[in-house]
């Protein structure tokens, strides 16, 4: 036990200076706390009540409060004092006066026999409350969340440390008589970092020796920590280089994060995230690196499960339609740059499968499909893509300078492999296969046209019993009608047959309208209302999409400005097709439209699909950055149905992920869909993105999304898409209140 002089080598101003120096609270962090002071105070009164509920559930503090009330004390007065302390805590005040006040609070705790373990528990509740705000509050900029959370952590440690110092100083005179109690308090203090799953450490880089290492180091490394990089020798050999490179960047003064695999003392391989924070002296030299190391295995496994669910057919283990579509986008993008490349899409449908399925049942059908998938797989190169589109339909994509010849060879092999019988429960079953082939660029220059034309070729092969056929425009029953419809669409644009419908987006936790999506409809004079899916592909192929997009943005923008004039400040979402997104003049056209209709860029949100995002990532990344700098928000539409790289989603300036309605529609009755939606919400929030769930059609789904923490909802449960006039009436009569200016 140290003597009293040793224990009190810091006091007063020197103690405050020591805390401030150790925690390194920068002026920028104080400024950030001031900037978000009011935001962090939101919910403070409710937190104070929750805080006192916590007091009342602790025997020691409950007794103290009871005695306080028995002597005429008012609990509401304590709540006010708690709110005042909460306000002081997040103000960023690190003056000597504040330190004296905190030491005094510690002395009062000692006088009332409130032990340090309770004090630490109280600060844990501060942390949970404040970190919840920093991570999820819409009023905090994404770029500020990490630094704001660091600043809060520092002032929490300073606040708690000074309170504990006051407590300990008050108890110094009794320490010699209460050795057992001192030992117990020390145990509590050491158990706090031991109980935190993260490993905290600080390394003096001048000596490569630890300044501090959490006691729980042995749970990760199993022996003395390796120097200078903690646990480097326990890191999987293949990953050590990236960790060493991250350490080198930290030595250069850059905050660095890296994920790697570590083998724990039990021999299990787990993922860990390391964050290196360099600390500089007054000359700017890095003299210390502080860091955190935490287990990221569960997050990695959740992402892997999501990846598998999103890209794999659960029956055959083949790729699914979403991933095939993504591979097609990528292959076409490469072929556009390399004119010698051909992309071949082969679609095949099993003949006589329905008869077998009906006669022997679905289990037999499933087993036949698995055997068929295996036979097809054996005919292909490793670089070829094989997918199950659904039912008894399969697809193969190949990319090669001789794509036509290669596709023909695969088609012949497929026909040959299906000539042999399938054996099921001692029965010999024979299946034929009909195959259609479409080539890029000969038969189509985008994914949709290739898919549709390979499908047409396959049905022609089935009708004619031809085995396989290439696409032939003369045999496409849709060609003439498509040409007629394109002509009618051009006329529709001139005769104002296009109209915008609007569907609201509701902030789930507040029940208010925060935004609206503009949806296009075509009022055809004889066919009635035509939905976008039926004419947008035609508009793209006819080169009309740029004009239509300009009309949509300007028309919707003028309506948005009218709502602003009425006091309804809602963000406007507009879908942008892949063809338009590739237009190099898109950014300038959006700027011109915003200036013309006079709405701030922050009220426009551009929605693109995952596949459009990944079609040409270098170009898309630059365009998204420019749009973000302009102030326009970016959302990924139909999230989960495509195959986007999580690394790109993390790095690109995306604001919102919209979960596709196919996952949402039945999630209240399907545990698998609920798990997928939950994983997507957690993923988005961990990446600092907002989440919109599409396709909400009942209250059960709404309630479940609220429980899962989804930010925003959209669907028929709230409102069907409505024309502008009907939507204005809905705004005035709906139980969902629009977001007004004073609620921004």
């Amino acid at each position: 036990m140290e003597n009293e002089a040793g224990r009190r080598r810091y006091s007063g101003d020197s103690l405050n200076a020591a805390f401030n120096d150790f925690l390194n609270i920068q002026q920028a962090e104080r400024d950030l706390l001031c900037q978000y002071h009011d935001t962090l105070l939101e919910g403070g009164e409710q937190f104070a009540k929750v805080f006192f509920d916590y007091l009342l559930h602790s025997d020691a503090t409950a007794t103290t409060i009871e005695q306080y009330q028995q002597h005429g004390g008012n609990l509401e007065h304590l709540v006010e004092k708690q709110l005042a302390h909460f306000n002081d805590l997040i103000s960023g005040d690190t003056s000597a006066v504040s330190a004296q006040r905190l030491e005094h609070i510690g002395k009062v705790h000692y006088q009332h026999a409130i032990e340090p373990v309770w004090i630490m528990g109280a600060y844990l509740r501060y942390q949970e409350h404040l970190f919840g705000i920093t991570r999820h509050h819409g009023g905090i900029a994404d770029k500020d969340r990490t630094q704001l959370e660091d600043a809060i952590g520092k002032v929490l440690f300073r606040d708690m440390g000074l309170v504990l110092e006051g407590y300990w100083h008050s108890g110094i005179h009794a320490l010699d008589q209460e050795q057992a109690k001192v030992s117990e308090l020390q145990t509590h203090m050491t158990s706090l970092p031991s109980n935190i799953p993260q490993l905290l450490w600080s390394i003096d880089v001048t000596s490569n020796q630890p300044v501090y290492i959490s006691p729980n180091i042995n749970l990760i490394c199993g022996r003395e920590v390796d120097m200078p990089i903690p646990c480097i020798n326990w890191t999987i050999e293949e990953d050590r280089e990236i960790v060493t490179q991250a350490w080198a960047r930290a030595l250069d003064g850059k905050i660095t994060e890296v994920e790697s695999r570590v083998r724990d003392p039990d021999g299990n391989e787990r993922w860990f995230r390391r964050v290196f924070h360099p600390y500089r002296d007054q000359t700017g030299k890095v003299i210390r690196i502080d860091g955190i190391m935490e287990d990221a295995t569960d997050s990695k496994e959740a992402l892997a499960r999501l990846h598998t669910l999103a890209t794999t057919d659960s029956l055959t283990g083949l790729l699914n339609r979403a991933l095939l579509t993504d591979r097609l986008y990528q292959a076409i993008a490469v072929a556009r740059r390399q004119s010698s490349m051909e992309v071949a899409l082969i679609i095949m449908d099993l003949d006589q499968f329905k008869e077998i399925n009906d006669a022997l049942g679905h289990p037999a059908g499933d087993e036949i499909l698995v055997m068929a998938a295996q036979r097809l797989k054996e005919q292909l190169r490793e670089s070829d893509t094989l997918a199950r589109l659904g039912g008894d339909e399969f697809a193969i994509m190949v990319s090669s300078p001789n794509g036509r010849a290669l596709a023909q060879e695969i088609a012949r092999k497929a026909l040959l492999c299906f000539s042999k019988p399938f054996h099921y429960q001692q029965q010999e079953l024979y299946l034929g296969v009909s195959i259609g082939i479409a080539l890029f660029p000969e038969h189509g220059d985008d994914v949709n046209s290739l898919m549709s034309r390979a499908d047409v070729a396959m049905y022609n092969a089935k009708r004619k019993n031809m085995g396989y056929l290439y696409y032939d425009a003369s045999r496409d029953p849709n060609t003439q009608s498509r040409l007629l419809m394109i002509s009618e669409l051009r006329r529709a644009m001139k005769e104002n047959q296009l109209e915008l419908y609007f569907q609201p987006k509701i902030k789930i936790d507040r029940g208010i309208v925060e935004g609206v999506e503009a949806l296009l409809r075509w009022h055809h004079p004889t066919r009635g209302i035509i939905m976008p899916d039926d004419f947008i592909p035609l508009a793209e192929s006819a080169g009309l999409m740029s004009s239509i997009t300009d009309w949509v943005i300007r028309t919707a923008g003028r309506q948005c400005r009218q709502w602003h004039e009425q006091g309804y400040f809602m963000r406007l979402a507009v879908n942008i097709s892949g063809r338009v997104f590739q237009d190099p003049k898109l950014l300038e056209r959006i700027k011109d439209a915003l200036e013309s209709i006079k709405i701030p860029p922050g009220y426009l949100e551009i929605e693109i699909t995952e596949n459009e995002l990944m079609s040409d990532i270098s170009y898309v990344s630059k365009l998204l950055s420019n749009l973000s700098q302009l102030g326009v928000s970016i959302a990924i539409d139909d999230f989960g149905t495509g195959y986007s790289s999580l690394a790109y989603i993390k790095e690109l300036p995306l604001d919102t992920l919209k979960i596709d309605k196919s996952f949402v529609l039945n999630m209240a009755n399907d545990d698998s869909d609920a798990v997928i939606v939950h994983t997507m919400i957690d993923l988005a929030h961990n990446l600092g993105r907002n989440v919109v769930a599409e396709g909400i059609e009942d209250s059960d789904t709404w309630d479940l999304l609220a429980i899962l923490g989804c930010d925003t909802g959209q669907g028929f449960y709230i409102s069907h898409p409505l024309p502008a006039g009907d939507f204005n009436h809905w705004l005035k009569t709906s139980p969902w209140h629009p977001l007004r200016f004073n609620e921004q």
Side-chain angles (χ1 to χ4, degrees):
M1 179 68 68
E2 295 179 2
N3 59 32
E4 180 172 325
R7 286 194 299 265
R8 292 187 59 84
R9 60 184 180 273
Y10 292 108
S11 62
D13 291 349
S14 65
L15 176 64
N16 182 52
F19 266 88
N20 292 344
D21 181 63
F22 178 78
L23 292 171
N24 191 29
I25 302 176
Q26 302 291 328
Q27 184 60 44
E29 294 169 318
R30 297 188 187 96
D31 293 342
L32 200 60
L33 287 167
C34 290
Q35 178 183 346
Y36 290 111
H37 179 271
D38 292 343
T39 301
L40 293 173
L41 276 180
E42 289 184 18
E45 185 173 354
Q46 179 63 31
F47 170 72
K49 294 178 181 179
V50 172
F51 184 84
F52 276 93
D53 284 341
Y54 164 67
L55 298 183
L56 293 171
H57 282 83
S58 169
D59 292 340
T61 52
T63 301
T64 301
I65 292 175
E66 182 178 353
Q67 292 173 350
Y68 171 80
Q69 291 178 306
Q70 288 175 353
H71 288 83
N74 187 336
L75 191 58
E76 291 297 321
H77 177 63
L78 286 182
V79 172
E80 292 174 1
K81 292 181 69 175
Q82 169 60 29
L83 286 171
H85 182 232
F86 189 69
N87 181 67
D88 291 336
L89 169 66
I90 61 175
S91 68
D93 182 8
T94 59
S95 66
V97 173
S98 75
Q100 292 170 3
R101 179 180 59 80
L102 292 170
E103 283 193 80
H104 176 72
I105 292 173
K107 293 176 182 179
V108 172
H109 280 79
Y110 180 84
Q111 292 166 3
H112 288 281
I114 300 175
E115 296 181 350
V117 66
W118 174 84
I119 299 173
M120 289 182 284
Y123 280 95
L124 283 176
R125 278 152 181 82
Y126 277 121
Q127 177 180 289
E128 291 168 357
H129 176 72
L130 290 172
F131 279 12
I133 293 176
T134 60
R135 291 170 182 169
H136 304 299
H137 197 288
I140 297 175
D142 289 344
K143 64 183 179 60
D144 293 336
R145 296 186 191 276
T146 299
Q147 187 178 358
L148 181 59
E149 191 168 294
D150 288 343
I152 291 171
K154 289 181 180 182
V155 297
L156 279 172
F157 271 102
R158 177 183 181 273
D159 206 272
M160 181 179 73
L162 288 169
V163 168
L164 290 174
E165 284 288 340
Y167 182 96
W168 289 326
H169 290 174
S170 297
I172 283 176
H173 69 279
L175 290 179
D176 293 336
Q177 291 78 30
E178 299 183 12
Q179 290 296 326
K181 186 173 182 179
V182 170
S183 177
E184 183 181 352
L185 294 177
Q186 290 174 334
T187 300
H188 282 310
M189 285 302 298
T190 56
S191 66
L192 179 61
S194 299
N195 195 43
I196 296 174
Q198 293 85 2
L199 168 64
L200 306 175
W201 47 265
S202 180
I203 305 297
D204 181 345
V205 299
T206 61
S207 64
N208 283 340
Q209 294 300 312
V211 177
Y212 173 79
I213 298 286
S214 292
N216 58 359
I217 181 66
N218 288 333
L219 298 178
I220 299 174
C221 296
R223 57 183 171 88
E224 286 299 319
V225 65
D226 309 308
M227 288 296 116
I229 308 174
C231 299
I232 186 63
N233 288 336
W234 289 71
T235 302
I236 299 300
E237 187 172 355
E238 295 89 338
D239 294 352
R240 290 180 191 173
E241 179 62 24
I242 61 171
V243 177
T244 303
Q245 291 173 358
W247 178 263
R249 290 194 294 273
L251 290 175
D252 287 340
K254 300 173 183 176
I255 297 175
T256 309
E257 178 179 327
V258 64
E259 287 185 345
S260 62
R261 293 163 293 172
V262 174
R263 197 170 300 282
D264 67 19
D266 296 327
N268 301 313
E269 185 179 296
R270 301 189 66 80
W271 281 93
F272 277 86
R273 181 177 73 99
R274 290 179 175 93
V275 183
F276 302 139
H277 285 265
Y279 176 80
R280 301 174 184 268
D281 63 13
Q282 293 180 345
T283 67
K285 178 183 177 182
V286 175
I287 61 172
R288 195 178 77 227
I289 294 181
D290 306 321
I292 184 172
M293 186 171 173
E294 63 179 347
D295 195 324
T297 306
D298 290 344
S299 297
K300 282 283 186 180
E301 290 177 349
L303 292 177
R305 288 195 297 270
L306 178 61
H307 175 272
T308 300
L309 287 168
T311 63
T312 305
D313 174 54
S314 59
L315 175 63
T316 63
L318 299 180
L319 307 185
N320 63 10
R321 181 185 290 270
L323 186 49
L324 171 72
T325 302
D326 177 75
R327 295 273 180 92
L328 266 174
Y329 271 105
Q330 295 182 36
I332 289 173
V334 171
R336 283 198 177 106
R337 295 192 294 269
Q338 302 177 17
S339 58
S340 62
M341 295 294 289
E342 282 186 318
V343 179
L345 177 64
I346 305 165
I347 290 182
M348 55 188 67
D349 185 82
L350 305 186
D351 300 331
Q352 295 89 46
F353 177 77
K354 184 177 184 303
E355 289 80 355
I356 292 174
N357 207 38
D358 291 344
L360 301 179
H362 291 292
D366 288 348
E367 191 167 332
I368 295 297
L369 288 173
V370 171
M371 288 189 281
Q374 183 59 36
R375 287 193 186 183
L376 289 171
K377 192 173 182 181
E378 291 170 355
Q379 309 306 314
L380 302 177
R381 304 172 302 170
E382 216 167 293
S383 59
D384 300 332
T385 297
L386 171 63
R388 181 185 175 213
L389 301 182
D392 61 341
E393 197 169 52
F394 295 86
I396 299 170
M397 185 205 76
V398 296
S399 181
S400 169
N402 57 338
R404 172 181 279 271
L406 189 56
Q408 183 170 308
E409 179 185 350
I410 290 173
R412 288 173 176 170
K413 286 182 177 180
L415 290 171
L416 185 61
C417 80
F418 277 92
S419 66
K420 302 174 185 178
F422 290 83
H423 296 279
Y424 177 75
Q425 293 184 351
Q426 299 180 343
Q427 297 186 66
E428 284 192 350
L429 305 173
Y430 287 87
L431 290 173
V433 62
S434 298
I435 301 172
I437 305 171
L439 302 171
F440 170 90
E442 181 179 345
H443 299 138
D445 63 353
D446 58 30
V447 170
N448 291 332
S449 61
L450 279 185
M451 293 285 285
S452 131
R453 289 166 186 178
D455 212 43
V456 168
M458 182 270 291
Y459 279 109
N460 283 330
K462 185 180 286 286
R463 282 195 298 269
K464 296 178 176 294
N465 195 25
M466 293 287 292
Y468 71 90
L469 286 176
Y470 289 94
Y471 173 76
D472 182 348
S474 66
R475 293 189 180 129
D476 189 343
N478 301 315
T479 302
Q480 292 184 357
S481 62
R482 284 166 60 89
L483 291 174
L484 176 61
M485 203 167 184
I486 288 172
S487 175
E488 292 176 335
L489 182 56
R490 293 183 186 277
R491 187 182 307 116
M493 295 172 63
K494 296 178 182 178
E495 297 178 358
N496 297 320
Q497 295 175 14
L498 300 181
E499 182 180 12
L500 289 181
Y501 280 46
F502 300 92
Q503 188 174 36
K505 301 178 183 178
I506 305 297
K507 192 75 173 172
I508 292 178
D509 62 347
R510 297 173 63 190
I512 60 173
V513 183
E514 68 163 7
V516 60
E517 182 176 3
L519 300 167
L520 188 60
R521 301 290 186 266
W522 176 7
H523 287 275
H524 193 280
T526 59
R527 303 184 190 184
I529 294 179
I530 301 178
M531 303 300 283
D533 287 347
D534 295 326
F535 67 87
I536 291 299
L538 298 178
E540 286 189 323
S541 64
L544 301 176
M545 273 312 299
S546 291
S547 299
I548 290 176
T549 300
D550 288 346
W551 180 86
V552 169
I553 292 176
R554 291 175 182 271
T555 304
R558 285 191 289 270
Q559 178 61 66
C560 184
R561 188 184 63 203
Q562 291 180 20
W563 287 327
H564 287 191
E565 292 169 356
Q566 297 168 20
Y568 302 142
F569 287 79
M570 301 175 294
R571 179 177 292 162
L572 171 70
V574 175
N575 294 280
I576 301 293
S577 75
R579 185 67 61 86
V580 173
F581 213 71
Q582 296 293 328
D583 185 346
K585 296 182 179 179
L586 176 61
L587 180 66
E588 291 303 318
R589 298 213 318 274
I590 290 177
K591 283 183 181 178
D592 292 343
L594 289 171
E595 291 174 1
S596 171
I597 58 184
K598 294 181 173 56
I599 65 169
Y603 284 99
L604 176 63
E605 184 176 72
I606 298 298
E607 293 187 3
I608 59 173
T609 66
E610 285 185 271
N611 289 324
E612 290 161 356
L613 177 73
M614 300 302 296
S615 61
D616 188 345
I617 193 63
S618 59
Y619 169 81
V620 169
S621 176
K622 183 178 179 181
L623 177 57
L624 292 184
S625 296
N626 290 334
L627 286 171
S628 181
Q629 291 173 8
L630 180 63
V632 174
S633 297
I634 309 296
I636 294 184
D637 198 11
D638 301 334
F639 182 64
T641 60
Y643 177 55
S644 53
S645 166
L646 295 172
Y648 287 129
I649 289 178
K650 176 183 176 183
E651 297 298 331
L652 291 173
L654 305 171
D655 302 287
T656 301
L657 305 183
K658 293 188 71 176
I659 301 176
D660 184 70
K661 63 183 179 181
S662 62
F663 299 109
V664 176
L665 284 172
N666 200 37
M667 64 177 290
N669 302 310
D670 187 321
D671 290 342
S672 295
D673 283 348
V675 168
I676 293 172
V677 171
H678 191 185
T679 303
M680 289 180 179
I681 292 172
D682 286 346
L683 169 64
H685 286 167
N686 287 335
L687 294 175
R689 312 292 191 243
N690 293 321
V691 186
V692 177
E694 300 180 294
I696 304 175
E697 295 192 358
D698 54 61
S699 60
D700 289 343
T701 304
W702 174 273
D703 293 340
L704 181 54
L705 287 167
I707 292 171
L708 296 180
C710 186
D711 302 302
T712 303
Q714 182 180 0
F716 294 166
Y717 174 67
I718 301 161
S719 172
H720 285 69
L722 299 170
D726 293 345
F727 188 83
N728 288 334
H729 177 73
W730 181 90
L731 278 176
K732 297 174 183 177
T733 59
S734 166
W736 314 98
H737 301 294
L739 184 65
R740 294 183 178 274
F741 181 76
N742 59 8
E743 295 176 300
Q744 298 282 317

